[in-house]
Each structure stands twice: as C-alpha cells, then as structure tokens.
Amino acid sequence: MDDSRETLSPQAFVSGFPVRHSRSPLIHGYWLKSLSLPGSYLTQEVAPADFAAFIQSLKSGASGFVGGNVTIPHKEIAFKLADEPDERSEELGASNTLWMEDGRLKATNTDGQGFTANLDERHPGWDKFDSAVILGAGGASRAVVQAVRDRGFQEIHLVNRTVSRAVELADRFGKTVYPHPMEALAEVTKGAGLFVNTTSLGMEGEEAPSIDFSGLRRDAVVTDIVYVPLKTPILAQAERQGFAIVDGLGMLLHQAAPGFEKWFGRRPLVDDTLRALIIADMEKH
Ligand code: ATR
C-alpha cells in the first residue's frame, strides 16, 4: 500500500543546516503545480551529527523520500555517503542532488549545469571566447570553474584573496586553470570575455569592492553567482562601465531542474513566472 502511494506521489526534500532560507521549496512547488503533478518537496533541517542517519533512512526506504537536494553544509558528506556519485560530483567532491535508483543512492552536482544554462538563456554566445576570469576560490567557485572549463575556455584565471586556495583549486581542474592573488586582477582581466564573481563580496550587508573592468573585451559578459541583491554592486559597476551583465538568479532556478526531473519524471521549464515568484519572495524577506 505504501509502495503504491510512493509511486503515485513522490516526495523529495531539501536538506541543510540551517535550511529555512532555502527557496528550493518554492521552485519545486511551482513546477509541481504548473505541471499538475502529484508529489511534494519538503524542507528537512538536519544537523551535521544526524546527517548519516538521515541518508541511511533514505537508502533503506524508511524515510519515504525518492531523493532530494542537499545544501550547505552537507554537500561534501552527501557525496561521500552516496553509493554512486557521478563523475561530475567526483571531481568536485560535493553533491547537491540525490536520488534512489535500483536500490542505490545516486548523486550528482547540478550547480555547474545551472551556471551554464543561465548564461545560455540570458547571454547566448558567452562561451565563444578563450579567456575567463573567476573571482573566488571557495566552495561555490568549484562548480563554476568546472562548468567554464567544460565549455572550452582555454585560459581560466582564478583570482583569490588567499592565493593558496586558488592554487589548490587550480590543481584539481588541470592545466587550463591559472591561480592568482587579488593584485593580479587588473592584469588577468585584459582580453578576457567572461568575468564571474563567486565570492560573497557585495552580498547584502557585505562591503562592495571597486573593480576596474576596463581590460575586458568590450563584448565581454560579467556575471555574479550571488543573487541577493539581484543586481550586486559588482554587476552594477560592470554595467556602469558598459558591459553586459547576467544576474545569478537563473543559476539557482536552472540547477533545480535536473533533480525535479529525476524525482517527479518531467523536465520543468524555467520561465518568467517562476523568476517573478522568487523575486517577489526576495522582496518580502
Ligand atoms: P562559498 O562556499 O560561498 O564560496 P567560502 O568557501 O567561504 O564560501 O568562500 C568565500 C569566497 O569569498 C572565498 O574565495 C573568499 O576568499 P578567501 O579564500 O581568501 O577567504 C572570498 N571572500 C570573502 N570575503 C572576501 C573579502 N572581503 N575580500 C576578498 N575575498 C573575499
């Protein structure tokens, strides 16, 4: 009886600690409703000490979930606990999307796909240049480096305040990724066609740095993976300096689509109504 109910109405989760701020339930709720699909997507706040048990109950079927998303701070441990992480998450050492298949817990990381799909949608042709600059070498930077490399950029300049972190990340991704300290920023932007901010600089409440984008190609695009505020100070500066900009909200929306398809069986669309829904929610909080 339980089995048939699960088949009819799959349940997925987003797990983090804390997880209250997650907008994933809004995104998946919108898709379930607009596609008239049975199912639900629930927030599961799980403390790090309880995460292994949570995954165990997912694997055994006791939790009733078909899979879910994991967010900070569980992405690395989710990767380690999965039975079959795919190559993409292997390389990142982190997974954000889990699903049960043939009794095995599979895992992938969709952050890079989200990044790529957002730029494909909002600035087609963004990938036609050889050189890119990525600012930041933290957890969020990894999937961006992977995505930019996979799109064929030949020179990826990874700039970070703590240069040792940039070196470590560059080593992970092979010879097209070059690590640099902050002081090198102006030099490496020269001739680049893509600039990505992956740091918290300019996030709501954070200090806004002043960046000179003038070395970029005139037809370069500047993007930020931070989406609160939607137009970050870094994007605002780039726009004032005459460059095309793409905000980070689409990355959040697009990274959600592959998981939805796994759990609920249909590929959802990122449309303007969904975008407006999330923007309205951001304005409330
Ligand atoms: P996330 O998972 O969001 O990437 P993180 O791993 O803490 O978070 O990384 C934050 C990134 O923002 C890092 O690249 C960090 O630089 P350091 O590695 O030197 O810490 C960068 N960052 C945060 N505040 C910064 C600041 N005031 N100036 C320059 N870089 C900053």
Side-chain angles (χ1 to χ4, degrees):
M1 187 58 198
D2 277 342
D3 282 353
S4 63
R5 204 162 55 223
E6 270 173 33
T7 319
L8 284 175
S9 184
Q11 280 198 336
F13 61 83
V14 56
S15 179
F17 191 73
V19 75
R20 282 180 302 281
H21 61 277
S22 173
R23 295 201 166 84
S24 294
L26 258 185
I27 299 171
H28 291 282
Y30 168 78
W31 282 332
L32 284 168
K33 198 163 168 225
S34 58
L35 292 166
S36 305
L37 290 172
S40 50
Y41 184 93
L42 308 172
T43 297
Q44 299 286 289
E45 186 153 289
V46 180
D50 301 328
F51 194 71
F54 177 72
I55 292 296
Q56 195 44 46
S57 73
L58 172 62
K59 287 184 182 181
S60 70
S63 72
F65 287 117
V66 295
N69 286 125
V70 289
T71 184
I72 293 167
H74 300 320
K75 290 184 185 186
E76 281 85 5
I77 187 73
F79 160 73
K80 290 196 183 114
L81 294 172
D83 298 315
E84 283 182 41
D86 69 356
E87 270 182 39
R88 197 176 265 139
S89 40
E90 264 325 321
E91 190 179 38
L92 297 171
S95 301
N96 73 342
T97 302
L98 308 174
W99 69 100
M100 291 301 296
E101 195 176 312
D102 303 327
R104 315 257 304 151
L105 181 62
K106 308 231 175 174
T108 189
N109 195 308
T110 65
D111 287 334
Q113 287 162 275
F115 175 83
T116 299
N118 183 35
L119 282 169
D120 280 344
E121 181 197 325
R122 305 193 83 83
H123 197 84
W126 65 278
D127 52 353
K128 67 178 177 241
F129 305 117
D130 282 339
S131 173
V133 177
I134 299 175
L135 182 60
S141 171
R142 287 190 211 173
V144 172
V145 176
Q146 186 186 50
V148 169
R149 181 205 58 193
D150 289 349
R151 268 307 174 96
F153 281 81
Q154 292 303 309
E155 245 182 67
I156 300 165
H157 297 287
L158 187 58
V159 179
N160 199 45
R161 176 179 61 181
T162 310
V163 73
S164 58
R165 287 185 97 187
V167 171
E168 203 179 303
L169 202 56
D171 285 348
R172 188 186 275 267
F173 290 102
K175 57 185 184 320
T176 50
V177 186
Y178 303 90
H180 303 279
M182 278 302 227
E183 302 74 56
L185 194 58
E187 183 59 29
V188 299
T189 49
K190 282 184 191 154
L194 172 69
F195 185 103
V196 189
N197 175 48
T198 72
T199 72
S200 47
L201 289 170
M203 218 169 147
E204 225 150 54
E206 301 274 330
E207 67 176 296
S210 169
I211 299 180
D212 176 8
F213 294 102
S214 61
L216 290 174
R217 295 176 57 101
R218 291 316 299 168
D219 49 358
V221 60
V222 176
T223 186
D224 201 323
I225 70 169
V226 170
Y227 57 90
V228 183
L230 211 47
K231 192 181 283 184
T232 62
I234 288 182
L235 292 181
Q237 283 177 51
E239 191 176 49
R240 277 198 303 274
Q241 293 177 37
F243 294 95
I245 59 169
V246 173
D247 67 62
L249 180 55
M251 177 175 173
L252 170 76
L253 306 178
H254 283 285
Q255 65 76 31
F260 186 93
E261 187 174 10
K262 291 283 182 205
W263 312 314
F264 304 116
R266 293 268 301 277
R267 182 79 178 185
L269 275 185
V270 170
D271 59 19
D272 288 344
T273 313
L274 175 59
R275 198 178 148 83
L277 184 75
I278 304 300
I279 291 172
D281 186 65
M282 282 160 53
E283 280 162 3
K284 266 194 267 165
H285 300 287

